[in-house]
Amino acid sequence: MRREDTVVTENIEIARNIYQVTFKGEIVSEMTEPGQFLHLRTSDQYMPLLRRPISICDVDIDRQECTMLYRADGEGTKQLSDKRQGDQLDVLGPLGNGFPLDTIKGETALLVGGGIGVPPLYYLSKKLVEKGVNVFHVLGFASAEDTFYKQQFSELGETIITTIDGSLGYQGFVTNYILEEQPPYDILYSCGPTPMLNAIEQQLHPERAYFSFEERMGCGIGACFACVCHVQGDETGTSYKKVCSDGPVFPTGVIQL
Amino acid sequence: MRREDTVVTENIEIARNIYQVTFKGEIVSEMTEPGQFLHLRTSDQYMPLLRRPISICDVDIDRQECTMLYRADGEGTKQLSDKRQGDQLDVLGPLGNGFPLDTIKGETALLVGGGIGVPPLYYLSKKLVEKGVNVFHVLGFASAEDTFYKQQFSELGETIITTIDGSLGYQGFVTNYILEEQPPYDILYSCGPTPMLNAIEQQLHPERAYFSFEERMGCGIGACFACVCHVQGDETGTSYKKVCSDGPVFPTGVIQL
Amino acid sequence: MSKKLSIKLPGLEMKNPIMPASGCFGFGREFSKLYDLSSLGAIGIKATTEESRFGNPTPRVAETPGGMLNAIGLQNPGLEKVVSEELPFLESYDVPILANIAGTKTEDYVNVAEKVAKAPNVTALELNISCPNVKEGGISFGTDPEVAAALTKAVKEVSEVPVYVKLSPNVADIVTIAQAVEQAGADGLSMINTLLGMRIDLKTQQPILANRAGGLSGPAIKPVAVRMIYEVSQRVSIPIIGMGGITTADDVIEFFLAGASAVAVGTANFVNPFICPELIDELEERLSTMKVDNINELVGRSWSSCYNQS
Amino acid sequence: MSKKLSIKLPGLEMKNPIMPASGCFGFGREFSKLYDLSSLGAIGIKATTEESRFGNPTPRVAETPGGMLNAIGLQNPGLEKVVSEELPFLESYDVPILANIAGTKTEDYVNVAEKVAKAPNVTALELNISCPNVKEGGISFGTDPEVAAALTKAVKEVSEVPVYVKLSPNVADIVTIAQAVEQAGADGLSMINTLLGMRIDLKTQQPILANRAGGLSGPAIKPVAVRMIYEVSQRVSIPIIGMGGITTADDVIEFFLAGASAVAVGTANFVNPFICPELIDELEERLSTMKVDNINELVGRSWSSCYNQS
Ligand SMILES: Cc1cc2nc3c(=O)[nH]c(=O)nc-3n(C[C@H](O)[C@H](O)[C@H](O)COP(=O)(O)OP(=O)(O)OC[C@H]3O[C@@H](n4cnc5c(N)ncnc54)[C@H](O)[C@@H]3O)c2cc1C
Ligand SMILES: Cc1cc2nc3c(=O)[nH]c(=O)nc-3n(C[C@H](O)[C@H](O)[C@H](O)COP(=O)(O)OP(=O)(O)OC[C@H]3O[C@@H](n4cnc5c(N)ncnc54)[C@H](O)[C@@H]3O)c2cc1C
Ligand SMILES: Cc1cc2nc3c(=O)[nH]c(=O)nc-3n(C[C@H](O)[C@H](O)[C@H](O)COP(=O)(O)O)c2cc1C
Ligand SMILES: Cc1cc2nc3c(=O)[nH]c(=O)nc-3n(C[C@H](O)[C@H](O)[C@H](O)COP(=O)(O)O)c2cc1C
Ligand code: FES
Ligand code: FES
């Protein structure tokens, strides 16, 4: 983990308000674990003050380049979308614990992503494919215009797109599709909005699954206690996990959803 | 007077920490009075919060371009120096009352500038020459490296450079030169640090002279009372002038130095 | 302009809830050259004192992160000139005036209040009991509930128009002071005035402001203002004119949600002199998007409604 | 490292005047992976309470212009674990610990103080009488001079090490409180803690923080901190650890000029986790440029020296 002023090599809009930014820096050599995130400073002034956590989406270790996808929505991400090629980008990371790859024994992994939770699954999928794992992607979006990386995921394995309004692919939620079609899998990885993670846990009861969580962060390194979550089955109410340093990826059943 | 998001056409360093910025915009058509200033926003965030007053140095009405010279020193002017061609520049102005040209009867005008007080004299000099006035410039700097626009001024009239360390031109203060050489003049215009204006008033006792003043500003338009100065000979202590809207140019003898 | 923005407060019938804050708009003359002052909801004019005041020596302003310090020191031409020159000038506009008044003794306030309230276009007074920049008093009126209440009562007795009391944020318990002035008869509250702050120049090693300390305003203080309005609006039943760091239409809405019934814009006028009319336009649009019929509906929603918290 | 930066305060022999502020550095574990903690002047550890605390629900942080709000709610593993696990971990570093302690009753403070002060590396205590984020007290200790003094006295009686009292800025008159705790035996002051603030989410129309209000920290509050330190340092004779928005070496110098004898860096650690060692290096350079032999010379220069004011 380090802090580095990297250099933006590209920053383009790839779907409605969704941007793909690529930067170059030595820090990239440390980015070997999918599911980890970077903590970005979008302004060199203090507006906004805090860094923004964004997941690693793709890494090219040889070229020392890393790609992230983000939704330009609030103050910080809008600033990020103003960065041009050659601009500096202050990156802290890689942070947190990503998706475990060592433990995978099964032959098929189901990767379920929702909206802006999709990006970290791309690097994960690449790593799984490298290990010979069979990957199956179910990626949910609001609408066709919000969809991205369909092609990229398809190159790695079967890829189902679901949209809530049915404007592309299967109409409905990712869980609707999975319940209906019952794609077989040995392990499930997911990243997306909490209601989606909740639905997966409640409706699919996956035996082995890892979820990536989001929580507002301060430091991003475990020091400020901004990002704590309650632990399932903790009766004292004092047990906790920090999303930034204990997570953001946890096995199902750990975090109280 | 208006506020406009103009476009930077050039921004270059022309002497040690001294930059020349040119921008284009409709607002330029209003800039007909030398000695007026512009109030610039250097950041679209609120750091720094306030605008920066910078004098008009040159205007090309036909091309709608205005040039300013500034020293990149503090937070705001450093930000300004980061602007690149094509960037937006939020300009409010033109503000204040400049150097009066109508009243000029004499044949020779002495223009005395000190450091970053030199820029507004350039547009003034151009306007005087247009009116057929004979101009004589005495421009003081700390050192050769800090000197700028020698060539430009020379094209308009005789131009003496003085430097404190003697590394270029006459060694000494502008007032030393004038006292020694006694260049003849009918009217004197000056802009520069207060000690210089004070020396001119105390040592040269010019009969007809106009000084341009500086004071920290809030609004720049006369509403906040940040930039008030005491008036000479006011016994009640309650008379005042606002540098931004009554000035920045005043006849000698008005402002208490 | 639709009815979305119109509001009615004691003494202030406003086309929209936006007014420039006292001290940041002079007496309107400069801004009258930039846009039609009749487009404003109201105008808060610079503090008027009995005698004319030069104010503090310069420098009077300094910048801080996201904010600014000022120590103008209540410079103003004095009661007589305000009544004979400034207020008549403003009469040519169709806009209610909230006249800010200051003093160092109760009698000063009472005298100024009585006379200013008689001006035809002054439809409400704003008692400045919180100016941090005058040594001889000012702020002490704003930190002691009993003193604040006594002053309010004295002014209420002579004023022909409703009285708003402008509260200081430099206190431990603003609710008690707010309740004290409410009980003393205040028709409304203005909050907040500036926080006390200082900046030191590293070159001179002295405070930048000649007055040393000054009042902190601008975006930096917005969270303090929102918190205080949130607390006070739940505990009083008089309306609050909210201010402190407002720069966007979203900020205006945030103040309404916190419990303000109108807002004043101060420092932002220096950054963009066209801010008030721009905010009025943007606010109208924002309310349409939010499907709010009148901005009144938003007052205090952060504590009054049962919206789910995420 | 030269002697330019070394300072000596009650209980704190510091290689340099920079320490992380309580609550912004945990118990140092995370930062120990980033740099050698022995390079720090001291370490302010997270508030310790008698029992372990989970703290407030999330969201616990929100941003504001130039600042942030937090309502962590004093989450900590409790006295026992701090003494048995966290402090021993820090013993491997050559750095004095300023142990921040909190509670809801005097007995809590006394009990925690007595035990924490016995840890070999805790060389001073910091009494947190100003936490805005716990309902059951905390801040009330910080707003009443008598209550603050009584608590200070009680803790002083049991503590084996010097005691610093951390003052709340949410008061009208901080000098009186500072003098009261000085008289009660405090060895030093820490100032300032956070200002109380709030931010409302326009989408949910509710405060962003689950706790609703929170503590405002970061650059936005720097002018308030500087002003309070300027006022207090002239009226007490115990040293002040200054904090509130420090992000640069120039900020550190500004705090010294105002009257601080050491500084703590809080929020800036979140923006740049390497800030403390970076500030130490920059400060050394700055002092060389300024031709200052020891940073001590700068303490209170804004009010003690006869520098000409421009
Ligand atoms: C581990 C992790 C990985 C993430 N990966 C991605 C990603 O790859 N692409 C992407 O677009 N988004 C990702 N997010 C969400 C992203 O961090 C937020 O969308 C972003 O911080 C919002 O910032 P803003 O400036 O747009 O919004 P603002 O409204 O200005 O944000 C205000 C504050 O809230 C925080 N915040 C707002 N929304 C979220 C959120 N959903 N999660 C956490 N903090 C939030 C911000 O960080 C900031 O501190 C991730 C979040 C986490 C925790
Ligand atoms: C009418 C007028 C015309 C000017 N014309 C020029 C010009 O053509 N070229 C040029 O380089 N400078 C000019 N100045 C000075 C220029 O405004 C300041 O150098 C500049 O504002 C400093 O900003 P900063 O961000 O570098 O400094 P900071 O230290 O960040 O400034 C902090 C605050 O102090 C104010 N301030 C600092 N120095 C001055 C000063 N000398 N005068 C007024 N306010 C100051 C700033 O405006 C700002 O509000 C002019 C000033 C005035 C009043
Ligand atoms: C330069 C300046 C002068 C001010 N003068 C007054 C005044 O005369 N009377 C008053 O009640 N408030 C005065 N204020 C306070 C403002 O009215 C307002 O309460 C405060 O600035 C917070 O709002 P803002 O952050 O939008 O500026 C002044 C503020 C500034 C910045
Ligand atoms: C997330 C967070 C947690 C904090 N926790 C504590 C605490 O436990 N005890 C304490 O005395 N102060 C606490 N503080 C206050 C800081 O120590 C410091 O006084 C304040 O943040 C101002 O400094 P800064 O602007 O540099 O952050 C906390 C501040 C923050 C931002
Ligand atoms: S963000 Fe600070 S502990 Fe997780
Ligand atoms: S800068 Fe506001 S009155 Fe001159």
Side-chain angles (χ1 to χ4, degrees):
Chain A
M1 197 266 275
R2 61 171 101 179
R3 192 202 68 74
E4 186 178 328
D5 288 317
T6 66
V7 177
V8 171
T9 53
E10 194 187 55
N11 195 12
I12 49 168
E13 191 170 5
I14 59 166
R16 183 165 57 180
N17 293 328
I18 304 290
Y19 286 74
Q20 169 182 299
V21 63
T22 303
F23 64 85
K24 204 181 171 85
E26 289 176 20
I27 194 173
V28 175
S29 10
E30 299 182 22
M31 303 181 186
T32 52
E33 198 179 317
Q36 284 191 303
F37 68 97
L38 306 174
H39 219 22
L40 311 177
R41 216 174 146 196
T42 59
S43 161
D44 55 4
Q45 295 167 61
Y46 292 98
M47 290 189 178
L49 181 68
L50 297 174
R51 288 173 180 269
R52 296 292 185 266
I54 303 286
S55 302
I56 298 168
C57 168
D58 196 10
V59 174
D60 185 331
I61 298 273
D62 294 338
R63 302 183 56 183
Q64 297 201 316
E65 287 194 339
C66 167
T67 298
M68 302 175 289
L69 306 184
Y70 60 96
R71 175 183 290 133
D73 188 16
E75 213 186 336
T77 50
K78 273 197 196 124
Q79 274 182 349
L80 188 56
S81 70
D82 285 339
K83 297 256 181 201
R84 298 181 259 174
Q85 191 188 329
D87 282 351
Q88 277 197 352
L89 178 62
D90 177 346
V91 178
L92 178 74
L95 300 175
N97 296 302
F99 294 103
L101 298 172
D102 303 341
T103 60
I104 180 153
K105 295 183 206 109
E107 289 303 292
T108 300
L110 181 62
L111 280 64
V112 188
I116 203 60
V118 167
L121 299 182
Y122 183 64
Y123 192 35
L124 170 66
S125 187
K126 269 181 119 175
K127 286 281 184 185
L128 289 170
V129 170
E130 265 176 33
K131 291 191 67 172
V133 177
N134 184 26
V135 293
F136 191 107
H137 314 107
V138 183
L139 311 176
F141 299 94
S143 178
E145 297 161 287
D146 305 304
T147 308
F148 53 85
Y149 266 45
K150 182 172 187 295
Q151 179 60 30
Q152 285 88 332
F153 276 99
S154 300
E155 283 166 16
L156 298 172
E158 193 165 344
T159 301
I160 305 298
I161 302 290
T162 74
T163 54
I164 298 173
D165 67 1
S167 52
L168 190 77
Y170 174 91
Q171 172 171 7
F173 295 113
V174 289
T175 42
N176 298 140
Y177 173 85
I178 298 168
L179 282 172
E180 219 167 87
E181 300 293 334
Q182 300 279 350
Y185 61 92
D186 303 292
I187 186 165
L188 185 151
Y189 297 102
S190 185
C191 182
T194 310
M196 184 189 94
L197 300 179
N198 211 4
I200 293 175
E201 187 158 293
Q202 299 302 315
Q203 298 172 23
L204 307 182
H205 311 287
E207 256 174 65
R208 288 180 59 221
Y210 291 90
F211 288 171
S212 182
F213 289 82
E214 287 189 3
E215 191 60 69
R216 273 179 187 252
M217 292 185 179
C219 64
I221 63 170
C224 76
F225 293 86
C227 65
V228 296
C229 292
H230 281 283
V231 168
Q232 280 190 20
D234 162 41
E235 279 163 23
T236 66
T238 59
S239 299
Y240 63 89
K241 294 285 178 190
K242 296 178 203 158
V243 169
C244 71
S245 54
D246 298 324
V249 175
F250 295 95
T252 39
V254 172
I255 300 299
Q256 199 175 298
L257 274 165
Chain B
M1 196 264 275
R2 60 172 101 181
R3 193 203 66 74
E4 185 178 330
D5 288 318
T6 67
V7 178
V8 172
T9 53
E10 193 187 55
N11 195 11
I12 50 168
E13 191 170 4
I14 59 165
R16 184 166 56 179
N17 293 328
I18 305 290
Y19 287 74
Q20 169 182 301
V21 64
T22 303
F23 65 84
K24 204 182 172 84
E26 290 176 19
I27 193 173
V28 174
S29 9
E30 299 182 20
M31 302 181 185
T32 52
E33 196 179 318
Q36 284 192 301
F37 69 95
L38 306 174
H39 218 22
L40 312 176
R41 215 173 146 197
T42 58
S43 160
D44 55 3
Q45 296 166 61
Y46 293 98
M47 290 187 177
L49 180 67
L50 296 174
R51 288 174 179 267
R52 295 291 186 268
I54 302 287
S55 302
I56 297 168
C57 168
D58 196 9
V59 173
D60 185 331
I61 298 272
D62 294 337
R63 303 182 57 183
Q64 296 201 316
E65 286 193 341
C66 167
T67 297
M68 301 175 290
L69 307 185
Y70 60 95
R71 175 182 289 132
D73 188 16
E75 215 186 336
T77 49
K78 274 197 195 122
Q79 274 181 350
L80 188 56
S81 70
D82 285 338
K83 296 259 181 200
R84 295 181 262 173
Q85 191 188 331
D87 282 351
Q88 278 196 351
L89 178 61
D90 177 345
V91 178
L92 178 73
L95 299 175
N97 296 302
F99 294 103
L101 298 174
D102 303 341
T103 60
I104 181 151
K105 295 182 209 114
E107 289 303 293
T108 300
L110 181 64
L111 280 64
V112 188
I116 204 61
V118 166
L121 300 182
Y122 184 65
Y123 191 35
L124 170 66
S125 187
K126 268 180 121 175
K127 286 279 184 188
L128 289 170
V129 169
E130 266 176 32
K131 290 191 66 171
V133 177
N134 183 28
V135 294
F136 191 107
H137 314 107
V138 183
L139 310 176
F141 300 94
S143 177
E145 298 162 286
D146 305 304
T147 307
F148 53 86
Y149 265 45
K150 180 172 188 298
Q151 179 60 30
Q152 285 88 333
F153 276 98
S154 300
E155 283 165 18
L156 298 171
E158 193 165 344
T159 302
I160 305 299
I161 302 292
T162 74
T163 54
I164 297 173
D165 66 1
S167 53
L168 191 77
Y170 174 91
Q171 173 171 2
F173 294 113
V174 288
T175 42
N176 298 141
Y177 173 84
I178 298 168
L179 282 172
E180 218 167 89
E181 300 293 333
Q182 300 278 351
Y185 61 92
D186 303 292
I187 187 166
L188 185 152
Y189 296 102
S190 185
C191 183
T194 310
M196 185 189 93
L197 300 180
N198 211 3
I200 292 175
E201 188 159 292
Q202 300 302 315
Q203 298 171 24
L204 307 182
H205 310 288
E207 254 173 66
R208 287 180 60 222
Y210 292 90
F211 289 170
S212 181
F213 290 82
E214 287 189 3
E215 191 58 70
R216 274 180 186 252
M217 292 185 180
C219 65
I221 63 171
C224 75
F225 292 85
C227 66
V228 296
C229 292
H230 281 282
V231 168
Q232 281 190 21
D234 162 41
E235 278 164 23
T236 66
T238 59
S239 299
Y240 62 88
K241 294 284 177 191
K242 296 179 202 159
V243 169
C244 71
S245 54
D246 298 323
V249 175
F250 294 95
T252 39
V254 172
I255 300 299
Q256 199 175 298
L257 274 164
Chain C
M1 189 61 58
S2 75
K3 287 267 162 245
K4 274 197 182 57
L5 297 181
S6 69
I7 54 163
K8 216 180 139 172
L9 303 183
L12 300 169
E13 278 204 46
M14 298 166 67
K15 301 183 200 79
N16 60 68
I18 310 280
M19 71 180 91
S22 175
C24 303
F25 206 74
F27 293 94
R29 285 186 196 270
E30 294 76 19
F31 290 87
S32 74
K33 294 175 204 147
L34 307 185
Y35 57 84
D36 180 6
L37 300 186
S38 302
S39 65
L40 297 168
I43 294 178
I45 58 172
K46 179 121 195 76
T48 301
T49 53
E50 192 146 19
E51 306 296 333
S52 82
R53 286 179 60 97
F54 180 80
N56 293 319
T58 58
R60 293 175 168 191
V61 294
E63 280 174 303
T64 70
M68 67 173 278
L69 295 167
N70 89 81
I72 306 296
L74 298 183
Q75 177 158 24
N76 80 93
L79 174 61
E80 206 174 299
K81 276 216 175 134
V82 169
V83 170
S84 67
E85 292 175 17
E86 304 298 345
L87 288 170
F89 164 75
L90 285 166
E91 270 186 66
S92 50
Y93 299 97
D94 169 29
V95 60
I97 305 297
L98 178 66
N100 187 281
I101 64 178
T104 54
K105 307 188 293 294
T106 305
E107 304 88 81
D108 301 349
Y109 279 99
V110 168
N111 190 23
V112 178
E114 185 167 9
K115 291 187 181 129
V116 167
K118 288 202 167 68
N121 53 341
V122 169
T123 61
L125 297 183
E126 187 179 48
L127 271 194
N128 182 354
I129 59 165
S130 46
C131 181
N133 295 326
V134 289
K135 292 212 179 59
E136 322 87 33
I139 202 164
S140 68
F141 282 109
T143 54
D144 183 325
E146 280 168 42
V147 176
L151 181 69
T152 307
K153 202 169 238 159
V155 169
K156 271 299 286 181
E157 268 164 27
V158 301
S159 173
E160 290 177 11
V161 298
V163 174
Y164 290 74
V165 180
K166 184 154 180 182
L167 304 184
S168 166
N170 302 292
V171 297
D173 176 7
I174 195 155
V175 172
T176 306
I177 296 188
Q179 288 174 328
V181 302
E182 177 182 35
Q183 207 122 44
D187 300 283
L189 301 170
S190 287
M191 47 194 294
I192 59 174
N193 211 320
T194 52
L195 280 165
L196 264 168
M198 179 182 286
R199 181 166 165 194
I200 296 172
D201 185 330
L202 296 205
K203 284 184 203 137
T204 64
Q205 307 196 338
Q206 298 294 310
I208 291 186
L209 299 178
N211 190 48
R212 313 190 84 76
L216 180 63
S217 64
I221 70 169
K222 197 182 64 159
V224 175
V226 170
R227 187 266 298 179
M228 289 186 162
I229 292 167
Y230 178 89
E231 285 179 356
V232 170
S233 61
Q234 295 179 60
R235 309 285 293 278
V236 300
S237 45
I238 50 178
I240 295 172
I241 302 172
M243 66 203 76
I246 292 176
T247 60
T248 65
D250 280 0
D251 291 339
V252 174
I253 294 173
E254 186 175 1
F255 274 71
F256 269 80
L257 295 171
S261 298
V263 297
V265 179
T267 303
N269 287 290
F270 307 158
V271 182
N272 175 8
F274 299 92
I275 187 84
C276 287
E278 285 176 15
L279 284 181
I280 294 166
D281 289 348
E282 284 166 30
L283 198 56
E284 171 105 28
E285 278 172 44
R286 276 301 258 124
L287 293 183
S288 298
T289 329
M290 290 170 76
K291 303 204 191 318
V292 169
D293 288 332
N294 185 284
I295 192 159
N296 247 314
E297 296 168 24
L298 298 180
V299 179
R301 265 218 196 150
S302 66
W303 48 263
S304 67
S305 83
C306 308
Y307 265 67
N308 273 333
Q309 202 174 321
S310 69
Chain D
M1 190 59 58
S2 74
K3 288 268 162 248
K4 273 196 183 54
L5 297 182
S6 69
I7 54 165
K8 215 179 141 174
L9 303 183
L12 299 169
E13 279 205 44
M14 297 165 68
K15 299 183 201 77
N16 61 68
I18 309 280
M19 71 180 91
S22 175
C24 303
F25 207 73
F27 294 93
R29 284 185 195 271
E30 294 77 18
F31 290 87
S32 73
K33 294 174 203 147
L34 307 186
Y35 58 83
D36 180 6
L37 300 186
S38 303
S39 65
L40 296 168
I43 295 178
I45 57 172
K46 179 119 195 77
T48 301
T49 54
E50 193 147 19
E51 306 295 333
S52 82
R53 288 178 58 98
F54 179 80
N56 293 320
T58 58
R60 293 176 167 190
V61 294
E63 280 173 303
T64 69
M68 66 174 277
L69 294 166
N70 89 80
I72 306 295
L74 297 182
Q75 177 158 24
N76 80 94
L79 174 61
E80 206 174 300
K81 275 216 176 133
V82 169
V83 170
S84 67
E85 292 174 18
E86 304 299 346
L87 287 169
F89 163 75
L90 285 166
E91 270 186 65
S92 50
Y93 300 95
D94 169 29
V95 60
I97 305 298
L98 177 66
N100 187 280
I101 63 177
T104 53
K105 306 188 294 291
T106 306
E107 305 87 81
D108 301 349
Y109 279 99
V110 168
N111 190 21
V112 177
E114 184 167 11
K115 290 185 182 132
V116 168
K118 288 201 165 70
N121 52 342
V122 169
T123 60
L125 298 184
E126 186 179 49
L127 271 195
N128 182 353
I129 60 165
S130 46
C131 182
N133 296 324
V134 290
K135 291 208 181 61
E136 322 88 31
I139 202 165
S140 67
F141 282 109
T143 53
D144 183 325
E146 280 168 42
V147 176
L151 182 69
T152 306
K153 200 169 238 162
V155 169
K156 272 299 285 181
E157 267 164 28
V158 300
S159 174
E160 289 178 12
V161 298
V163 175
Y164 290 73
V165 180
K166 183 155 181 181
L167 304 184
S168 167
N170 302 291
V171 296
D173 176 8
I174 195 155
V175 172
T176 306
I177 296 188
Q179 289 174 327
V181 301
E182 177 182 36
Q183 205 123 44
D187 301 282
L189 302 170
S190 289
M191 50 195 291
I192 59 174
N193 211 320
T194 53
L195 281 166
L196 264 168
M198 179 183 287
R199 180 166 167 195
I200 297 173
D201 185 330
L202 296 205
K203 284 185 204 134
T204 64
Q205 307 197 338
Q206 298 294 311
I208 291 186
L209 299 179
N211 190 48
R212 312 190 83 75
L216 180 64
S217 63
I221 70 169
K222 199 182 63 159
V224 176
V226 169
R227 187 265 299 180
M228 289 186 161
I229 292 167
Y230 177 89
E231 286 179 354
V232 170
S233 61
Q234 297 179 59
R235 309 286 293 278
V236 300
S237 45
I238 51 179
I240 296 172
I241 302 171
M243 66 203 76
I246 291 175
T247 60
T248 66
D250 280 0
D251 291 340
V252 175
I253 294 172
E254 187 176 3
F255 274 72
F256 269 80
L257 295 172
S261 298
V263 297
V265 179
T267 305
N269 287 290
F270 306 158
V271 182
N272 174 9
F274 298 94
I275 186 83
C276 287
E278 285 176 14
L279 284 181
I280 294 166
D281 289 348
E282 285 165 29
L283 199 56
E284 171 105 29
E285 277 171 45
R286 276 299 260 123
L287 293 183
S288 297
T289 328
M290 291 169 73
K291 304 206 190 315
V292 169
D293 288 333
N294 184 285
I295 191 158
N296 248 313
E297 297 168 24
L298 298 180
V299 179
R301 266 217 196 153
S302 66
W303 47 263
S304 67
S305 83
C306 309
Y307 264 67
N308 272 335
Q309 202 173 320
S310 69

